[in-house]
Amino acid sequence: MKIFSLLLISSLLFSSTLYANNEQAYQVKAAYLYQFFKYTNWSNKNEANTIGVFAEKDIQKYFTLIEEQYYLKNKITIYSINNIEDALKCCNMIYFGPNTELKLQQLTQTKLSGVVIVADDSLTNGHLAMIQLHKKGTKLKFIVNSYNTLSQNIELSSRLLRVATKVNTDV
């Protein structure tokens, strides 16, 4: 059962995912964030597994749904965050949801260390992130910025890089 569940969640995440409405889109994005977390190696990660979320809509309930449906080895705590300082203190990964361009810009002006930044597909400055979600038709895909990850001593699994739509190495 455990293997079947893992295969199911993996096929959901790394295949061409379709979604029709915003709620379904947040479910898919939450699943992607969990997988990004799973396939990331931090050189200086603290022991807690935490994701901070800057978003108008609370997606924490979608993580709860994923954890309830599947046996997950590592529990991840989700924090709804309102400012950059809190995000840098608490989180291994930060997701910037729709309408958070200004907060993403502010974050890039801070001394960031060992935090994976994921930008929503709706952000125009998503290239500042390490991983940028993007919509291709009705499918959700992602782009990896290798320069940003390496500059923070973060290594993404080769398995994750293989399924990325594009891997940018430019500054």
Side-chain angles (χ1 to χ4, degrees), residues 84-116:
I84 298 297
E85 294 77 25
D86 288 345
L88 294 175
K89 290 177 192 172
C90 79
C91 304
N92 306 112
M93 180 179 285
I94 304 172
Y95 166 70
F96 287 84
N99 304 314
T100 58
E101 284 93 350
L102 183 59
K103 292 195 186 292
L104 179 56
Q105 186 67 41
Q106 290 171 345
L107 180 76
T108 60
Q109 296 168 359
T110 65
K111 288 195 175 199
L112 187 63
S113 178
V115 179
V116 175

Side-chain angles (χ1 to χ4, degrees), residues 129-146:
M130 295 170 191
I131 300 172
Q132 180 181 12
L133 300 174
H134 77 98
K135 220 172 161 182
K136 191 172 185 178
T138 58
K139 300 173 184 177
L140 187 65
K141 302 288 185 173
F142 64 96
I143 297 170
V144 171
N145 187 320
S146 292

Side-chain angles (χ1 to χ4, degrees), residues 8-17 28 30-32 34-35 140:
L8 181 63
I9 197 167
S10 295
S11 66
L12 166 72
L13 296 176
F14 293 122
S15 64
S16 297
T17 307
V28 172
Y32 266 66
Y34 179 80
Q35 291 298 318
L140 187 65

